[in-house]
Amino acid sequence: MTKIEGTAASAAVKEILLSNPDGLRDVICAVMQEVLEAEMDETLGASKGERTAEWVGYRSGHYGRTLITRVGKLELRVPQDRQGRFSTELFERYQRSERALVATLAEMYVQGVSTRKVITEELCGHAFSASSISAINKRLDESLAAFASRPLHEPFPYLILDARYEKVREAGIVTSQAVLIAVGIDWDGRRQILGVEMANRESRSAWRDFLVGLKARGLKGVELVVSDDHAGLVKAIGEVVPEAAWQRCYVHFLRNALDYLPRKHGDDCLSELRWLYERRDLAEVRADLAAWLAKWSARYPRLTDWAEQNIERTLTFFRLPRQHHKHLKSTNMLERLNEEIRRRTYVVRIFPNAESCLRLVRALAVETHENWMEANRYINMDDLREHKKAEMRQAA
């Protein structure tokens, strides 16, 4: 994204916050205006009034553009240049998830199912009719469907799967429905959101259909799948991607361990179990695990018996290069995405239907996916290439 020096913007933001108690909308407007001006500077190769060696053209004033957001209408001035070189994706990228959220809230209002007064002129900056909501949703659905059905050309050696639940009203009844999410890491080391789908629950058939859909779009080359140990998900992984090793998320494993401890217990036992996942290799893990079992089996026999029987599938990540361990021993990376989804869906609380829920979550997924693709590589896949070569030399 365009970098902004931000001195003028910072001063404007401080002034707005101090002088206006309802200044959040003005703050966002000021920041976005600075982004537009900085993008124009990059396009022309010079700031306003400057002439540099990279300078390629003249400014030609501004035109007005209204952006509807959850904090109200933003009135922005979009810079123009004489040659028409300047173009910005700021509005499309920012408004994709905004439109999905506003459309969902407005749909609740029109259907009369909102239990909270979340639809107001102050929130949306616009009055909505059923026809305007339909038009917004049609445009959104077309772009989101293209993202959801895009071909997956390159192989993804790492696949991370998780689900979260959202409340949805169907036929007048509020139910919790699962949002299934898949993230892949390609051979360039970049994260990509591969799929987002809704399901009534996390059943084997729901996860199987989800994974089969990914394979139909071209998913291939999966060497490791990271997920929690939901029975339906584990079975689906074994059926659809049997060639891949499975890593049970160690964070979920440690949470599950609490079920085998008395309510009043010391932290030392679980802390020592957690430390096993910081070891350099399996030899160290097995030695420390034996010591842990011997130390705690008399005091917490239910926990130690359960851990001894189930811990092996949480240690699969030790097959990977050590540089990849912290990224692939848990689903934490996807959990952070779920936190962002939760932050946005909290505004809605109860979706009027499954379609509106999927629309908002997919819009957020597209936004996150684009940010990931523009960011630095998540991991260095050269480490995996060298690791595989070393294994081949050792096997020979």
Side-chain angles (χ1 to χ4, degrees):
M1 179 175 285
T2 303
K3 293 184 179 180
I4 309 169
E5 291 297 329
T7 305
S10 298
V13 166
K14 289 179 181 178
E15 182 180 349
I16 290 166
L17 287 175
L18 290 172
S19 61
N20 182 3
D22 299 317
L24 180 58
R25 177 172 55 196
D26 297 330
V27 168
I28 295 174
C29 187
V31 171
M32 294 189 74
Q33 187 67 52
E34 288 294 326
V35 171
L36 289 170
E37 298 297 341
E39 285 186 332
M40 175 59 88
D41 291 348
E42 286 192 354
T43 298
L44 297 183
S47 300
K48 190 172 183 180
E50 280 188 328
R51 294 294 183 269
T52 67
E54 293 79 23
W55 175 67
V56 294
Y58 293 91
R59 295 170 182 263
S60 182
H62 297 75
Y63 67 90
R65 170 69 186 266
T66 299
L67 189 66
I68 297 175
T69 76
R70 81 194 81 168
V71 297
K73 286 184 180 179
L74 305 184
E75 301 294 342
L76 296 166
R77 299 170 64 247
V78 183
Q80 302 178 95
D81 66 294
R82 293 182 186 177
Q83 292 77 24
R85 289 190 178 93
F86 179 68
S87 175
T88 179
E89 295 182 1
L90 177 66
F91 300 120
E92 181 62 29
R93 292 185 59 176
Y94 184 83
Q95 268 201 303
R96 187 186 293 115
S97 58
E98 289 292 334
R99 283 202 304 265
L101 177 58
V102 170
T104 297
L105 295 172
E107 191 171 2
M108 292 169 66
Y109 177 75
V110 169
Q111 293 184 10
V113 299
S114 177
T115 58
R116 300 162 67 233
K117 293 183 179 180
V118 292
I119 308 301
T120 63
E121 287 278 339
E122 289 75 22
L123 176 66
C124 297
H126 188 67
F128 291 92
S129 65
S131 60
S132 63
I133 296 168
S134 178
I136 291 172
N137 289 344
K138 183 179 179 181
R139 290 193 298 271
L140 266 173
D141 290 343
E142 289 173 355
S143 63
L144 297 178
F147 173 79
S149 60
R150 74 191 190 280
L152 304 175
H153 296 297
E154 66 266 53
F156 292 90
Y158 296 148
L159 181 66
I160 302 95
L161 302 171
D162 200 9
R164 57 170 287 101
Y165 281 83
E166 298 290 347
K167 293 190 180 299
V168 175
R169 191 185 304 271
E170 296 281 11
I173 300 174
V174 177
T175 61
S176 290
Q177 295 196 16
V179 181
L180 313 181
I181 304 175
V183 171
I185 300 178
D186 61 27
W187 275 103
D188 194 37
R190 297 186 186 280
R191 294 171 291 175
Q192 297 190 37
I193 296 181
L194 307 183
V196 179
E197 297 291 347
M198 296 286 295
N200 289 330
R201 58 192 179 92
E202 281 190 88
S203 63
R204 181 198 65 83
S205 59
W207 274 114
R208 186 182 185 281
D209 291 345
F210 180 62
L211 292 172
V212 167
L214 292 177
K215 294 202 82 170
R217 288 167 48 206
L219 178 66
K220 59 183 178 293
V222 180
E223 300 183 14
L224 179 78
V225 180
V226 187
S227 74
D228 62 24
D229 73 326
H230 186 281
L233 172 54
V234 175
K235 288 180 181 177
I237 292 170
E239 292 176 13
V240 183
V241 281
E243 70 279 9
W246 175 55
Q247 164 66 32
R248 176 178 179 177
C249 172
Y250 89 98
V251 175
H252 286 83
F253 175 79
L254 293 173
R255 289 175 190 162
N256 296 150
L258 292 170
D259 297 336
Y260 298 88
L261 284 169
R263 180 168 298 179
K264 293 183 179 180
H265 65 276
D267 294 332
D268 291 348
C269 180
L270 278 185
S271 294
E272 291 176 15
L273 183 60
R274 183 181 298 108
W275 292 340
L276 297 179
Y277 297 96
E278 304 300 324
R279 299 299 180 254
R280 293 172 62 89
D281 54 45
L282 273 175
E284 288 186 17
V285 172
R286 299 204 190 286
D288 289 346
L289 176 61
W292 181 84
L293 291 170
K295 179 178 179 179
W296 296 103
S297 59
R299 186 172 181 182
Y300 302 125
R302 290 183 66 241
L303 171 64
T304 54
D305 289 347
W306 173 82
E308 189 173 15
Q309 294 172 18
N310 292 278
I311 197 171
E312 193 64 33
R313 302 302 290 273
T314 71
L315 306 176
T316 310
F317 71 93
F318 280 102
R319 304 180 189 181
L320 306 176
R322 192 156 55 88
Q323 299 91 327
H324 293 190
H325 288 184
K326 66 178 180 179
H327 300 291
L328 293 160
K329 61 186 176 183
S330 74
T331 59
N332 280 358
M333 178 266 291
L334 217 166
E335 291 283 353
R336 286 190 285 272
L337 171 61
N338 280 334
E339 285 295 327
E340 179 61 19
I341 293 172
R342 184 180 295 113
R343 187 176 70 84
R344 305 287 187 95
T345 59
Y346 178 81
V347 177
V348 180
R349 299 290 181 90
I350 300 174
F351 285 86
N353 49 57
E355 291 77 14
S356 62
C357 180
L358 182 60
R359 184 179 298 121
L360 175 55
V361 176
R362 275 186 176 168
L364 292 168
V366 173
E367 183 179 297
T368 301
H369 175 86
E370 291 174 345
N371 290 336
W372 283 352
M373 294 300 289
E374 290 180 358
N376 294 331
R377 291 184 302 176
Y378 184 60
I379 54 178
N380 186 349
M381 294 302 285
D382 290 337
D383 296 327
L384 181 59
R385 293 184 181 92
E386 292 302 317
H387 185 76
K388 291 164 77 72
K389 289 178 183 177
E391 287 184 331
M392 291 177 65
R393 287 194 296 268
Q394 187 175 1

